[in-house]
Amino acid sequence: MAATPETVHWRGVHHLALVTADMDATVRFWHGVLDARLVTTLAVPAFKHYFFEVGTGNTVAFFEYADQELDSFAKPAGVPYAKAAQFDHLALHLPDEDALLRLRDRLKAHGCEVTDVIDHGFLRSIYFSDPNGIALEASWWTVDPTGRPVDYSDERLFADPDPVPAVRELREHGRLRHTVATRLVDGIVEDLRREGITLDS
């Protein structure tokens, strides 16, 4: 099929959705260590879903699933691993509802399955897949929480009724009482040692 004349007006990555077994530690690392501000939260009985700003309109988000054992692992970047299950889906950022509807129509015109628009409150989305089976989402913020001061008491954006302790600290004190330390994956440390580089413990 010939390309449709109307271009898609992407605005970057809306959010990359990953999986965590410990949302509290995730908040302490992404917000406290990386300085990627926690800008919104939501929760349903099955999961918590928290978003960290990595640029105006761009976030990295994490799911913490309730009552679900995860077979966690660590691996160096760029090395294939059969249990690489942290990735959930990639959400791409669009400017408004009209752009979302145009993309939905474009996908349909090319024979791609796509959902109707789903209203999540502070964002609206459609869902589809690429030929590799990678789950994709296109979203636009109906209430954009990025690029402005955060109000942790705003229940439109911080909808988790039982937030992790790190969020309660941010709400009550405006800062985290502590952050979390991380370690390099063993394979990276071994590579550095082979190069004669040692790390301070």
Side-chain angles (χ1 to χ4, degrees):
M1 178 176 186
T4 52
E6 179 64 29
T7 60
V8 177
H9 301 285
W10 295 118
R11 295 181 64 181
V13 176
H14 188 281
H15 66 275
L16 175 64
L18 303 171
V19 176
T20 178
D22 187 343
M23 188 68 82
D24 188 66
T26 298
V27 173
R28 294 180 191 283
F29 180 72
W30 282 83
H31 181 97
V33 176
L34 297 184
D35 202 26
R37 297 184 313 147
L38 177 69
V39 292
T40 189
T41 67
L42 65 85
V44 296
F47 61 81
K48 294 180 184 295
H49 197 24
Y50 289 11
F51 294 72
F52 300 86
E53 181 181 9
V54 293
T56 301
N58 295 267
T59 60
V60 172
F62 287 85
F63 284 102
E64 183 185 64
Y65 297 110
D67 304 317
Q68 175 64 52
E69 288 291 322
L70 297 176
D71 188 8
S72 62
F73 67 95
K75 73 173 197 67
V79 177
Y81 187 56
K83 296 182 180 179
Q86 284 96 336
F87 181 80
D88 188 88
H89 69 274
L90 174 61
L92 302 167
H93 190 204
L94 290 170
D96 52 34
E97 185 84 2
D98 185 58
L100 192 67
L101 295 174
R102 284 199 318 268
L103 176 61
R104 185 194 61 185
D105 292 345
R106 180 185 179 99
L107 287 163
K108 288 182 177 181
H110 285 270
C112 300
E113 291 186 342
V114 58
T115 68
D116 288 333
V117 174
I118 308 297
D119 187 350
H120 296 292
F122 52 79
L123 62 91
R124 290 171 63 86
S125 305
I126 58 174
Y127 297 86
F128 51 100
S129 297
D130 85 338
N132 303 298
I134 295 173
L136 299 174
E137 174 184 357
S139 302
W140 70 279
W141 295 112
T142 60
V143 180
D144 190 344
T146 65
R148 63 178 179 151
V150 177
D151 178 1
Y152 294 105
S153 66
D154 185 344
E155 293 182 359
R156 296 173 308 157
L157 299 174
F158 292 90
D160 184 354
D162 184 26
V164 297
V167 175
R168 289 195 294 273
E169 290 171 21
L170 289 169
R171 184 176 288 158
E172 294 166 13
H173 308 290
R175 61 180 177 77
L176 297 173
R177 291 184 177 171
H178 67 275
T179 60
V180 294
T182 62
R183 298 184 58 81
L184 290 173
V185 175
D186 287 342
I188 295 172
V189 175
E190 290 167 10
D191 287 344
L192 292 173
R193 285 185 185 139
R194 278 194 290 275
E195 297 295 322
I197 301 169
T198 58
L199 300 173
D200 294 332
S201 298

